[in-house]
Amino acid sequence: MGKTHVKLTVNGREVEGLAEPRTLLIHFLRDELELTGPHIGCDTSHCGACTVDLNGKSIKSCTIFAVQASGAEITTIEGISGADGTLHALQDAFKEHHGLQCGFCTPGMITRAYRLLQDNPNPSEEEIRFGISGNLCRCTGYQNIVKAIQTAARELSAPKEAAE
Amino acid sequence: MNEQTPTPSERAEKLQGLGSSRKRVEDARFTQGKGNYIDDMKLPGMLFGDFVRSIYGHARITSINKEAALALPGVLAVITVEDLKPLKLDYMPTLAGDVQAVLAGDKVLFQGQEVAFVVAEDRYIAADAVELVEVEYQELPALVDPFKAMEPEAPVLREDIKDKTEGAHGPRKNPNHIFTWEAGDAEATETALDQAEVVAKELISYQRCHPCPLETCGCVASMDKVNGKLTVWGTFQAPHAVRTVASLITNIPEHKIRIVSPDIGGGFGNKVGVYPGYICAIVASIVTGAPVKWIEDRIENLSATAFARDYHMKGEIGATRDGKITALRCYAIADHGAFDACADPTKFPAGFFSIFTGSYDIPAAFLSVDGVYTNKAPGGVAYRCSFRVTEASYFIERMIDVLARELNMDPAELRMKNFIKKEQFPYTSATGWEYDSGDYQTAMDKALQAVDYTGLRTEQKANREAFERGETRKLMGVGVAFFTEIVGAGPVKNCDILGLGMFDSCEIRIHPTGSAIARLGTISQGQGHATTFAQILASEIGIAAENITVEEGDTDTAPYGLGTYGSRSTPVAGAAAAMAGRKIRAKAQMIAAYLLEVHDNDLEWEVDRFVVKGAPERFKTMTELAFAAYNQAIPGIEPGLEAVSYYDPPNMTYPFGAYICVVDIDVDTGVTEIRRFYALDDCGTRINPMIIEGQVHGGLTEALAIAMGQEITYDELGNVQGASLLDYFMPTAVETPHWETDSTVTPSPHHPIGAKGVGESPNVGGVSAISNAVNDAFAHLGLKHTAMPHDHWRVWKTAQKLGLTG
Ligand code: FES
Ligand code: FES
């Protein structure tokens, strides 16, 4: 099948590659760009393991073609920590509160939470639970994930409040 | 010593040993997307395999035409049974003493069965080629209902063994019969039931469900033709057993096979078995000379790799009128699907189901299980539980509630009246299990108090009255469950898998500068072994956990072990770690005695050092001793500091717990909300409380999934229904309630550190507690038992049958 030229910005870097029109974004990210952080957990857009950030929105990258993402700005789990390697507050909080076990859902979960906290910096427990309901976790029972996101939210808004 | 010297307790804390809620070492890579799961692997020239699968539940294959598929550019091979036969790989042995078709021969026996394996340059081309393989079928009547399997007019499924009257577990009564397995005393139970003042009877069904880990199964097989070595990376919960099986069936010598389990995205029993995909990837790599990757998709995972449960249990429980249980009997039909691929120890075709007397002192008990074939996927694995213990525990916990209704007695009170008492341990059950330790009453008292059980019952009474008066449309239910697990298989004398004794192992090397590497025969799938095994060792050898690397999963480097399932890692491999640590310490003691010029017996161990008795200023730390082991010639002692331990547990361990669940049911919609869930677990010595709590949350959430919705059903033609996440219930953060956890600690007397294992208890106890709560909500209206899963529709149906809906 003929391939199309795809150019996008991933984790702040301009990248390009060839993709068939039917190539899913998740396969393009994982197989072409070797960003294997986002995972594949289903075939029906239910699990959210493939979640990435596309133009400021959480999307399930198994449900969009790579060519559709042409020109977009994408952030994957690999781009969540600082350029100098410092971990994002969410990454610290997931470890601190045992918000992961097998780790398979974790990249999608953190990427989703990252967007959630930008849209709603002080979410209630209910808002967090609803906000991550597109991401399944089979191991943790979510309780510690919720705790981790709450902690990160506090952490992220604290310096700002102090400055105000 | 001066004031600057840290005290023993300060030093102990630094070690982060037993009891420390040490943060996990695994998390750094997982939170940054740097895990290494099977589908992340990429090898030069790697090809992709994909299956052509049966569209029918039961059919004869009349022809397979690969021409069109082979003509597609990028397709390298299409493997069918004809290619496997000359290699004698058309069938593979299952863990249960049966054989399973790797690729279907004359017949397909379940929908989704593997028919042909396509190998192509990328996964898209492979998927295209799957569509191009033309398979012609002649449909046959399907056998779906396990109760009909042994009827004379039932279609014969397994033509390959239809004349075999002797199976792996004794005589077969019928072509669709696999085994009959009995335990207990039939006669004594019969008599006791005859004489009982009250007998309650019920059919308790535990539906077919699936472990559904978030990562599906898969592998990469690579045959290096130059040195004749086969390497297979894959989602294996038991890598060493896979190596042995692979060697036995391929005839490649075992030292020429390397099996590696990379990071595993959850297993819950699904990744114990050997699947046709692994064998086909190996064959494809041998045929093409290139590495071959096979990754199943979710629908394939749910419809073809190992399911769980599917037990249908007819129970009778006898008691005196005042509630003393005198007898228990169960006759169960076990639906094993098309091949018997249960993952049970060889001598236990029904797993440890005979632990069905639960936590109660029941003098007479008998059970008989018939395993049968049906046109469904093979499996029967322990979905986050020990072999068939969840089924057993659910059975007894529902039967107790059914009996409580019959006796008009409170279910908590009935349980307490029949508990095995603290002073009865070690306790031998009517079916022969020796329970190691327990204090059930204390656990139950603590649980009842924590939730204010009496208050809940008072509230429930008021709720029922208000419902009567038409003031509310909601009914409140309180579910009480008490479980005893049996984990840590197991003593080699009676537990083996394919003849391999179920011991486990640990090998430790102390480096000259006082850090260490430990390798074990198990494999983590999220349990955090790299964290907790280092903690066990830290306490044993006095080296800080952060300075101990734990490695598992590579058969070239790790010592032989039977893997991780049935909560066996802590009871068995954890014990091996402790024992290996003790060997290290024994040698270190001899070195210390030499260096301090005292007799061995004049030394005592203190946290991280040997100290001369009565002279606390004279000591050698483990770090010093490690260095000495490598740089000093010590008469009579070999250089180096290493140890290996293979641990064969003297008995299983018996964790237990008391769970209480409160639900509110809207009778008009069937919507069932879990208002409160309290879980008290006693898993003996607690290695890492943070990880234990996480395991409990996860296990409870899987219990919720099973009790409230997970079910793999088949229609009468054998079409699998709902084998995708569209239909198969996976609770999100919204449906999952807040879990309250609690504990008591009753150490195992025979385990070196007293630990019992915990990962699976919450699933065992959780399902019963939730199901009991739903049943309890309707109990006052005369409901005896309603079957799982309690999804909204079924709950609504129950309400409707009781005449509650408008
Ligand atoms: S892979 Fe499951 S939602 Fe994308
Ligand atoms: S940590 Fe395993 S799926 Fe979430």
Side-chain angles (χ1 to χ4, degrees):
Chain A
M1 206 172 277
K3 294 201 174 181
T4 311
H5 187 232
V6 181
K7 198 168 159 183
L8 24 83
T9 310
V10 180
N11 300 331
R13 240 169 19 101
E14 279 210 1
V15 294
E16 42 196 311
L18 291 174
E20 289 179 24
R22 62 177 180 172
T23 302
L24 297 172
L25 179 59
I26 183 71
H27 286 137
F28 186 73
L29 292 171
R30 289 176 50 84
D31 297 345
E32 290 303 311
L33 305 182
E34 301 194 350
L35 293 168
T36 53
H39 297 137
I40 302 170
C42 71
D43 348 285
T44 47
S45 298
H46 280 88
C47 74
C50 60
T51 303
V52 301
D53 205 72
L54 183 136
N55 294 337
K57 279 205 175 87
S58 294
I59 59 137
K60 292 178 170 171
S61 62
C62 69
T63 314
I64 164 173
F65 296 116
V67 290
Q68 284 176 284
S70 210
E73 283 218 23
I74 291 178
T75 306
T76 68
I77 185 70
E78 288 90 342
I80 300 273
S81 38
D84 60 349
T86 44
L87 294 187
H88 188 272
L90 277 162
Q91 290 169 313
D92 281 329
F94 267 65
K95 174 168 182 171
E96 196 55 34
H97 291 288
H98 192 29
L100 64 149
Q101 291 181 27
C102 79
F104 201 74
C105 71
T106 312
M109 199 64 90
I110 291 182
T111 312
R112 170 60 201 139
Y114 166 81
R115 178 50 49 197
L116 175 70
L117 292 187
Q118 312 222 350
D119 294 346
N120 180 0
N122 289 304
S124 64
E125 166 160 0
E126 212 182 330
E127 286 169 332
I128 293 175
R129 286 187 178 264
F130 184 74
I132 60 167
S133 62
N135 292 67
L136 298 174
C137 174
R138 289 292 286 146
C139 302
T140 64
Y142 304 105
Q143 199 154 313
N144 290 341
I145 292 180
V146 172
K147 241 199 256 172
I149 297 174
Q150 284 169 327
T151 304
R154 273 195 301 274
E155 184 80 8
L156 290 167
S157 50
K160 227 189 331 161
E161 274 165 22
E164 272 165 15
Chain B
M1 256 189 274
N2 56 38
E3 271 161 27
Q4 255 70 62
T5 314
T7 64
S9 67
E10 284 166 353
R11 280 183 274 128
E13 203 180 312
K14 277 227 178 76
L15 294 180
Q16 294 202 298
L18 289 183
S20 154
S21 278
R22 176 180 187 225
K23 304 297 175 233
R24 302 197 330 160
V25 296
E26 296 87 347
D27 293 357
R29 67 177 189 278
F30 293 149
T31 54
Q32 296 180 69
K34 299 289 186 224
N36 179 32
Y37 301 91
I38 188 62
D39 201 16
D40 300 344
M41 271 198 73
K42 203 172 178 181
L43 294 178
M46 188 170 75
L47 306 172
F48 291 80
D50 201 349
F51 278 113
V52 177
R53 292 177 181 275
S54 167
I55 53 173
Y56 293 111
H58 193 195
R60 219 167 277 292
I61 296 178
T62 52
S63 73
I64 300 178
N65 185 347
K66 353 175 168 174
E67 295 308 311
L70 282 171
L72 186 73
V75 175
L76 285 104
V78 178
I79 298 169
T80 66
V81 71
E82 295 311 319
D83 305 298
L84 298 181
K85 270 186 193 157
L87 305 167
K88 297 208 172 57
L89 285 176
D90 47 338
Y91 281 94
M92 61 179 181
T94 69
L95 297 178
D98 194 3
V99 291
Q100 175 175 352
V102 174
L103 290 171
D106 306 336
K107 275 212 318 189
V108 285
L109 291 167
F110 65 95
Q111 189 179 57
Q113 187 179 344
E114 299 80 1
V115 173
F117 191 70
V118 170
V119 188
E121 280 165 9
D122 76 34
R123 52 181 113 213
Y124 286 72
I125 300 176
D128 287 342
V130 164
E131 296 300 315
L132 294 173
V133 175
E134 294 158 17
V135 185
E136 279 181 34
Y137 300 94
Q138 183 194 342
E139 211 182 338
L140 297 168
L143 170 60
V144 176
D145 180 352
F147 285 98
K148 296 198 173 131
M150 289 198 283
E151 286 177 359
E153 61 273 18
V156 173
L157 306 191
R158 292 287 299 279
E159 286 170 356
D160 58 322
I161 54 165
K162 73 172 189 297
D163 300 323
K164 248 179 103 179
T165 51
E166 197 63 28
H169 311 286
R172 298 170 66 221
K173 298 181 205 162
N174 167 292
N176 296 328
H177 179 242
I178 309 171
F179 64 83
T180 300
W181 191 69
E182 296 180 342
D185 186 332
E187 235 173 86
T189 308
E190 174 85 33
T191 315
L193 281 171
D194 282 348
Q195 291 168 355
E197 291 168 13
V198 182
V199 176
K201 298 182 187 183
E202 193 53 65
L203 167 66
I204 311 283
S205 267
Y206 201 137
Q207 78 272 14
R208 176 175 279 240
C209 45
H210 192 284
C212 195
L214 199 58
E215 176 202 39
T216 59
C217 300
C219 73
V220 175
S222 178
M223 183 71 193
D224 179 337
K225 290 206 169 153
V226 178
N227 60 26
K229 184 148 184 172
L230 170 70
T231 305
V232 190
W233 296 263
T235 45
F236 308 125
Q237 284 181 239
H240 296 273
V242 169
R243 185 185 68 190
T244 303
V245 174
S247 172
L248 291 173
I249 64 180
T250 59
N251 279 324
I252 300 172
E254 205 165 348
H255 70 288
K256 291 278 190 189
I257 302 178
R258 175 177 170 221
I259 304 289
V260 187
S261 298
D263 288 327
I264 296 185
F268 318 123
N270 184 229
K271 292 167 181 169
V272 174
V274 173
Y275 295 121
Y278 304 152
I279 309 290
C280 288
I282 292 171
V283 172
S285 178
I286 294 172
V287 170
T288 60
V292 176
K293 182 187 266 191
W294 166 71
I295 305 287
E296 60 178 4
D297 64 31
R298 176 59 59 195
I299 292 171
E300 293 178 295
N301 175 254
L302 285 172
S303 54
T305 48
F307 76 92
R309 324 291 192 237
D310 220 343
Y311 254 48
H312 309 277
M313 307 164 277
K314 287 184 188 159
E316 290 160 275
I317 187 164
T320 59
R321 196 151 296 289
D322 63 355
K324 186 79 195 100
I325 301 170
T326 52
L328 178 69
R329 184 159 62 190
C330 174
Y331 172 68
I333 284 272
D335 184 339
H336 284 227
F339 304 96
D340 186 14
C342 270
D344 292 318
T346 307
K347 290 188 195 115
F348 298 92
F352 304 152
F353 187 73
S354 59
I355 188 94
F356 79 136
T357 51
S359 316
Y360 313 102
D361 184 14
I362 304 179
F366 177 73
L367 79 89
S368 173
V369 182
D370 274 313
V372 295
Y373 293 120
T374 59
N375 287 120
K376 301 178 191 171
V381 292
Y383 172 4
R384 202 168 184 145
C385 71
S386 195
F387 317 101
R388 301 294 187 190
V389 175
T390 310
E391 289 90 329
S393 186
Y394 181 65
F395 170 76
I396 182 67
E397 288 306 295
R398 281 299 308 134
M399 286 307 291
I400 295 263
D401 266 29
V402 170
L403 177 65
R405 305 292 169 246
E406 193 92 24
L407 295 169
N408 204 12
M409 206 169 157
D410 180 89
E413 191 191 330
L414 179 58
R415 284 179 169 80
M416 292 190 285
K417 193 157 193 158
N418 290 284
F419 273 157
I420 301 165
K421 304 210 168 25
K422 192 178 170 188
E423 55 279 8
Q424 286 176 281
F425 291 95
Y427 168 86
T428 307
S429 76
T431 50
W433 297 106
E434 194 190 302
Y435 293 37
D436 60 348
S437 63
D439 183 354
Y440 299 166
Q441 189 63 47
T442 302
M444 189 65 143
D445 286 341
K446 195 173 178 187
L448 295 179
Q449 260 174 31
V451 299
D452 180 18
Y453 185 69
T454 331
L456 284 173
R457 288 296 179 197
T458 312
E459 187 193 341
Q460 185 183 41
K461 194 160 167 270
N463 159 262
R464 285 171 175 177
E465 285 161 9
F467 188 89
E468 272 298 283
R469 293 193 298 268
E471 289 164 21
T472 176
R473 297 296 291 156
K474 280 192 178 170
L475 283 174
M476 171 180 169
V478 182
V480 179
F482 199 98
F483 66 90
T484 298
E485 253 262 71
I486 171 169
V487 304
V492 171
K493 62 177 187 290
N494 56 14
C495 287
D496 70 272
I497 283 190
L498 291 176
L500 304 166
M502 295 182 75
F503 56 83
D504 229 289
S505 57
C506 175
E507 180 189 287
I508 310 174
R509 273 187 226 169
I510 312 290
H511 307 315
T513 50
S515 57
I517 181 162
R519 296 192 169 105
L520 295 103
T522 42
I523 177 73
S524 191
Q525 308 123 43
Q527 297 91 335
H529 290 175
T531 307
T532 52
F533 285 144
Q535 290 183 253
I536 295 178
L537 285 169
S539 288
E540 292 292 341
I541 60 177
I543 292 177
E546 60 178 337
N547 293 328
I548 304 173
T549 301
V550 173
E551 269 186 18
E552 302 174 298
D554 184 337
T555 58
D556 264 11
T557 55
Y560 205 100
L562 267 277
T564 295
Y565 42 86
S567 276
R568 61 187 300 282
S569 296
T570 298
V572 192
M579 297 313 268
R582 287 173 197 181
K583 287 186 187 174
I584 294 274
R585 219 163 75 186
K587 183 166 179 185
Q589 183 165 6
M590 297 198 289
I591 300 172
Y594 171 79
L595 297 176
L596 292 164
E597 299 179 343
V598 294
H599 192 271
D600 284 8
N601 295 339
D602 296 331
L603 292 171
E604 61 190 353
W605 175 252
E606 187 204 271
V607 182
D608 57 354
R609 60 193 59 185
F610 279 103
V611 181
V612 177
K613 284 183 197 161
E617 69 291 348
R618 297 186 63 208
F619 61 83
K620 287 285 170 195
T621 66
M622 197 50 149
T623 313
E624 294 170 310
L625 295 169
F627 197 68
Y630 290 92
N631 91 330
Q632 299 227 4
I634 303 174
I637 301 180
E638 281 179 18
L641 196 49
E642 296 189 10
V644 186
S645 170
Y646 278 71
Y647 187 76
D648 175 11
N651 189 3
M652 318 245 192
T653 59
Y654 296 75
F656 58 92
Y659 289 4
I660 294 169
C661 172
V662 185
V663 297
D664 296 301
I665 296 176
D666 181 327
V667 297
D668 296 312
T669 59
V671 170
T672 303
E673 259 179 65
I674 296 188
R675 184 206 303 180
R676 183 157 191 203
F677 198 107
Y678 167 92
L680 178 146
D681 272 282
D682 191 320
C683 58
T685 304
R686 296 161 77 81
I687 300 168
N688 182 322
M690 175 192 83
I691 288 183
I692 292 175
E693 193 173 321
Q695 289 281 316
V696 173
H697 291 169
L700 289 174
T701 307
E702 291 193 343
L704 167 82
I706 295 169
M708 304 298 265
Q710 291 192 337
E711 186 176 27
I712 302 272
T713 54
Y714 288 79
D715 70 9
E716 69 280 11
L717 299 175
N719 295 306
V720 56
Q721 315 275 292
S724 83
L725 296 194
L726 268 173
D727 302 283
Y728 192 65
F729 178 49
M730 298 271 268
T732 72
V734 172
E735 291 92 35
T736 306
H738 179 85
W739 306 112
E740 295 169 54
T741 56
D742 206 343
S743 62
T744 54
V745 176
T746 312
S748 167
H750 62 77
H751 186 279
I753 58 167
K756 289 187 169 186
V758 74
E760 303 169 333
S761 296
N763 199 339
V764 174
V767 173
S768 312
I770 296 170
S771 187
N772 281 351
V774 172
N775 276 280
D776 182 71
F778 300 106
H780 62 300
L781 301 164
L783 179 76
K784 247 171 86 191
H785 173 76
T786 180
M788 283 195 296
H790 305 297
D791 52 44
H792 302 339
W793 183 77
R794 277 193 183 81
V795 172
W796 177 79
K797 283 295 258 192
T798 302
Q800 194 200 32
K801 266 195 221 136
L802 293 169
L804 301 179
T805 52

